[in-house]
Each structure stands twice: as structure tokens, then as C-alpha cells.
Amino acid sequence: MDIDDILREVDPAHHAVAREKQDLQDLTRAWIAERSAPELLHWPSGGLFERINANIKRQIEKVEEMTGDMDPRTNFALIVIQTELERYKYLVRSYLRARIAKIDRHTLHYLSTDELRSRLSEMELAYATRHQALLHNHYLSSFLSSFPPALQNLNDTAGNISMIDPPDLESAVFIRLLRDTLVEGRGVDADGAMDGKESDIVILRWSDAKPLVEEGSAELV
Amino acid sequence: MPMYGDLGNKLVQHAKRTQNLSALPAYQTELVRSVTREVRDLDRDVASMLEPFQGSFDPSENQATACTLLVNHLSMRRNKRCLLAYHRTRTDKLEELVWKGADLIDLSGQGMADGGMNGNGNGEGVSSGGGGSGGGVMSNLSPQEEDYVRQYGDLLAAYKGQWTDIDLTGSLEPPRDLFIDVRVLKDAGEIQTEYGAINLTKNSQFYVRQGDVERLIAQGYLQKLG
């Protein structure tokens, strides 16, 4: 048994189905996309996070099982698994935090329409609703309650300025093309279009990149 | 005589300054109250100005009045925005602290330390256990903010509780090494790890699993080396 065997043995993608590898890839991709995109993206469907949670739980149990073993070989494997586990947890944590940060910044915006609400997971929705309620309460008890009633709302649109601040969809993102496709972008002075080749990396406005990402022709980097 | 909106502007300046400070400065109770009062006064002015018209006000016939009304309305809205911005900046800061694991006692204690440094001398009379309502006099937080911190802490704990294995408030630095060198800055007592108990006494140095001590690093008991 050489080092490759050990590595293969502890590699969760090897002896299990490819699904776990796929999940990790999906998670990584979702994480990168979420961190680059200026607006909140859809919560991944299809039970990805249920599976991820189950995987993490299983690995933690495995670590606990192996801890008692003093065999140096197990010990080494243990370190590999733990390192991997920490990384996996970091991915999930960073992903969730990136989403929470976005939700916190534009809470009312994401709660305003059903389409936007559907992007949040159930837990996030509960969190956002409660957080907004807390904030509103705080404003009310701090000063808003002594305002004239007409001015107590948090969603005024008077003077053509909405109080609900949406994320800036025009900010720039980098995307990598996953297949040959036409890339159209709007510029300040003139609009541009180019025939993109697979694996080209382009910088453009998120609002222009969004359709490409959604149809799977490109991914955020 | 101060102009409309001067006070609001002051609040915004306070908020701006708060963004760059590590600790939260004292809540401007008086300023908030004055701005709110200004809004109420303006609203009363508007009402009394509109009163003689009995609801049949035509802006094109009374352009001067219309202009005054417009300015009053805009000033009220501006004041509201200033107040919201001020409070939001502070709650953002508070939330950040909650995420970092600070609790109310820490936050109030911070205010006491500041008070002591400013040479007020009042801070010394307050016992350190007096966080929350007892330390309210010296706290930089308004009572409403203290409530907010408490409630937000509960909310965060609830959300975190659904991701127990991840430790949501953990480090956002990508993990590099499983084990790290740490130096103990403050006595932290004994901690349990899977390799047995470690007694963390001041100035000692250990090679430990990062996940085990992350909390303590964030709280300032340990310092990461290398």
C-alpha cells in the first residue's frame, strides 16, 4: 500500500458515487458565482445542501471514529480528512455568509416581490423577515414613532426616490465562456458584440452577463 | 439660528465617522431628539399653513406657499433619511460585533473603558458586572440599541443553529493548515481537544488544531503565529 492508495482511500470522490464529486463542484461553482455577482442568486435546488450537510456529518463521524486509533497510517489519513473537512466547511460557510451579507444590505428589496423572495432559502427568508422586523422596530422605538404618521413608512417613493435600495446590476463581473457564443455588452458610449470562444474570459456588466450565466453558456469567475 | 437640516447633517457626519472607528461612539440622544423635533415642528407648520385652504389648495395660485410647503416636505424627508442612515450605520456596526461573538456586556464595557479614558472619572464608580441595564448610564448604546443587540443575537443564534456543523461565525479566511501555532495572550483556562486537555496560561505557546481555538482567537485570548 503506497501513498496513492491512502490518498485514494480518503478521497471522498473515489469510493463513493460521482454524485459527491458533482456536489462539491456545484458548491464551488455556486460559491464563486455568489461572491462575484452583485445580486443574490437563486438558492440551489435539488437538495444540494441537504446532501452537503449529510456528507459533512458523515465525515465528522468518521473523524471521531478514527481518532482513537493510534496506527500512524490512520493518523495520516485522519489529517487528510480533517483538512479536507475544514475546507469543505469553509466553502459552505463562506457561501452562506456571502448570501447573508447581500440579504442584509438589501433586505426590503429581496422581500419585495415573490420572484425575489423565491431566491432565498426558507431559512434565509425567515432570517430576512425577522431581521427587517427588528430593524423597523428599532427605528420605531428610536425615533420613527414620534414622526407624523405619513412619514413612518420605510418604503416611500416620494420625489421619485424609492427608499428601497436595489443592488447595482450594472456593476462589472468577469465571466468565463463555457461554449462558443455571441457576447453582447452595453458600453458607456457604444454597445459592443463579439463572437466568444469557449474558455474566453470577458469582463462586462452583470445585467448583460446574467442571461449567459443563466442559460449555462458562461460561469462567473 | 440653525437652518433646517443642519442637525441632520451633523448626524450624517457622526455616522460617517462611526464607519471608520473600531469602537462605537456614544449614541447622540440629544441630536436624534432635536432632529425628530424639527420634523414634528415642520409637520405642524405644514398643517397650519394648509389649514385656511380647507383642502382646496391650488399650488399655481399660491406659488409662495407652495414653495414653502415643498421645502418643508423635503426637509422632513431629508431629516428622516439622515436619521435612518445614522441608525442603520450603528446597527450595521452592532451586527458586525454580534457576528464576531461580542456580547452585550462587552459592548457596554467598551463604553465604560472609553469613558474612563476620556477622563470623565464616572466610569470607575460603575461595577464591571453592570452591563445591560445597570451600566446604561455609561454605555455608548441607547437602550433601544441594547435591545436590538439582544434580539439580533437571538436571531443569529437561531439561524446559526440550523448549520451546527459549519460554525457560521467561524473564520472567513480559507483554511491553510490544520494545525497552527498560537501564543496565549490572556489566561483562558483549560480547553478540551481530541488530543487531551490543554491548559492555556498566559505567554505560553501551543501547536493546536485551528478549529479548536478559533473562538478564542476571535475573542482575543490567543494570537495566531506565523
Side-chain angles (χ1 to χ4, degrees):
Chain A
M1 191 165 179
D2 64 13
I3 190 150
D4 282 332
D5 288 331
I6 301 175
L7 284 175
R8 211 173 302 130
E9 202 179 293
V10 296
D11 184 359
H14 170 68
H15 55 113
V17 276
R19 157 143 250 174
E20 290 174 353
K21 195 167 187 173
Q22 183 64 41
D23 281 351
L24 180 58
Q25 211 171 57
D26 287 350
L27 173 65
T28 315
R29 192 167 280 183
W31 171 63
I32 294 173
E34 196 65 65
R35 287 182 51 120
S36 319
E39 66 172 335
L40 191 74
L41 304 175
H42 272 280
W43 178 255
S45 51
L48 174 64
F49 271 83
E50 284 77 359
R51 287 199 300 279
I52 287 174
N53 261 342
N55 283 349
I56 290 178
K57 209 157 251 143
R58 207 166 49 234
Q59 290 296 77
I60 290 179
E61 275 163 21
K62 192 162 186 182
V63 167
E64 277 164 9
E65 236 168 71
M66 288 166 78
T67 306
D69 202 332
M70 288 321 276
D71 180 7
R73 209 157 38 199
T74 343
N75 230 321
F76 177 67
L78 191 63
I79 288 176
V80 176
I81 293 183
Q82 284 188 339
T83 309
E84 177 64 14
L85 188 60
E86 288 300 320
R87 291 192 179 151
Y88 210 115
K89 276 158 73 172
Y90 164 75
L91 276 184
V92 180
R93 184 191 308 145
S94 180
Y95 175 72
L96 292 173
R97 291 285 298 264
R99 289 180 64 89
I100 283 286
K102 286 184 192 176
I103 294 171
D104 277 348
R105 187 158 313 140
H106 304 288
T107 316
L108 273 177
H109 170 73
Y110 290 121
L111 291 177
S112 58
T113 66
D114 282 343
E115 198 277 316
L116 289 166
R117 289 168 81 100
S118 71
R119 295 189 193 176
L120 278 68
S121 73
E122 242 166 77
M123 282 180 244
E124 286 168 338
L125 198 58
Y127 169 87
T129 318
R130 174 97 180 107
H131 187 200
Q132 188 56 40
L134 282 182
L135 269 177
H136 198 163
N137 245 330
H138 175 59
Y139 296 146
L140 273 177
S141 60
S142 295
F143 60 95
L144 214 51
S145 58
S146 43
F147 266 41
L151 280 174
Q152 286 191 5
N153 291 331
L154 288 182
N155 52 4
D156 287 348
T157 44
N160 283 330
I161 306 170
S162 173
M163 282 182 71
I164 302 176
D165 199 14
D168 180 12
L169 303 184
E170 302 299 322
S171 59
V173 293
F174 286 94
I175 53 169
R176 182 190 298 119
L177 302 184
L178 298 173
R179 61 173 87 111
D180 296 355
T181 177
L182 179 71
V183 181
E184 290 177 287
R186 285 166 303 125
V188 179
D189 299 320
D191 298 348
M194 61 169 255
D195 285 316
K197 297 265 170 295
E198 190 191 323
S199 82
D200 277 357
I201 292 186
V202 201
I203 174 170
L204 73 173
R205 292 174 197 267
W206 168 239
S207 52
D208 293 330
K210 198 177 167 185
L212 293 175
V213 173
E214 277 174 355
E215 66 182 39
S217 308
E219 64 174 354
L220 284 153
V221 286
Chain B
M1 185 197 147
M3 302 267 293
Y4 291 158
D6 270 4
L7 294 167
N9 204 25
K10 258 189 215 156
L11 271 185
V12 174
Q13 279 162 358
H14 272 292
K16 185 83 194 160
R17 199 166 64 94
T18 306
Q19 284 181 333
N20 299 321
L21 294 176
S22 58
L24 206 61
Y27 184 75
Q28 300 290 324
T29 319
E30 206 36 60
L31 207 48
V32 169
R33 211 171 284 155
S34 315
V35 179
T36 317
R37 204 181 304 125
E38 195 176 275
V39 171
R40 273 207 307 275
D41 290 346
L42 285 169
D43 187 56
R44 224 179 12 247
D45 285 356
V46 169
S48 67
M49 234 182 289
L50 280 174
E51 213 183 355
F53 295 100
Q54 299 292 333
S56 61
F57 179 69
D58 181 4
S60 53
E61 276 173 36
N62 298 287
Q63 292 190 346
T65 320
C67 180
T68 319
L69 286 175
L70 180 67
V71 171
N72 283 359
H73 269 296
L74 290 179
S75 307
M76 282 192 273
R77 295 212 152 69
R78 180 171 178 284
N79 275 347
K80 180 177 167 184
R81 283 183 85 101
C82 295
L83 279 166
L84 284 172
Y86 178 71
H87 285 83
R88 184 64 201 254
T89 311
R90 289 180 65 93
T91 49
D92 278 352
K93 206 92 187 175
L94 289 171
E95 281 164 23
E96 196 186 312
L97 291 168
V98 174
W99 275 99
K100 280 189 191 147
D103 56 18
L104 205 55
I105 315 257
D106 294 344
L107 291 173
S108 310
Q110 208 175 50
M112 279 180 239
D114 282 355
M117 276 193 293
N118 294 340
N120 289 340
N122 305 340
E124 282 134 40
V126 185
S127 75
S128 58
S133 55
V137 196
M138 281 312 296
S139 171
N140 280 344
L141 274 57
S142 73
Q144 290 86 353
E145 284 177 324
E146 286 182 11
D147 277 346
Y148 183 78
V149 170
R150 212 168 293 135
Q151 286 166 335
Y152 188 76
D154 291 346
L155 171 63
L156 182 57
Y159 184 71
K160 237 175 82 170
Q162 287 159 320
W163 296 99
T164 35
D165 292 333
I166 313 294
D167 184 20
L168 216 52
T169 45
S171 165
L172 288 181
E173 291 288 312
R176 217 165 268 288
D177 302 308
L178 196 53
F179 292 90
I180 52 166
D181 276 311
V182 290
R183 174 171 297 142
V184 186
L185 301 176
K186 283 188 272 183
D187 281 335
E190 204 176 77
I191 58 162
Q192 289 295 331
T193 68
E194 59 195 68
Y195 302 99
I198 310 179
N199 197 6
L200 298 170
T201 44
K202 195 176 167 183
N203 290 330
S204 49
Q205 209 164 306
F206 295 98
Y207 187 61
V208 284
R209 206 163 72 99
Q210 182 153 7
D212 288 339
V213 293
E214 213 143 63
R215 214 60 262 139
L216 292 165
I217 296 176
Q219 288 168 348
Y221 284 102
L222 304 180
Q223 182 190 25
K224 190 175 163 181
L225 301 175

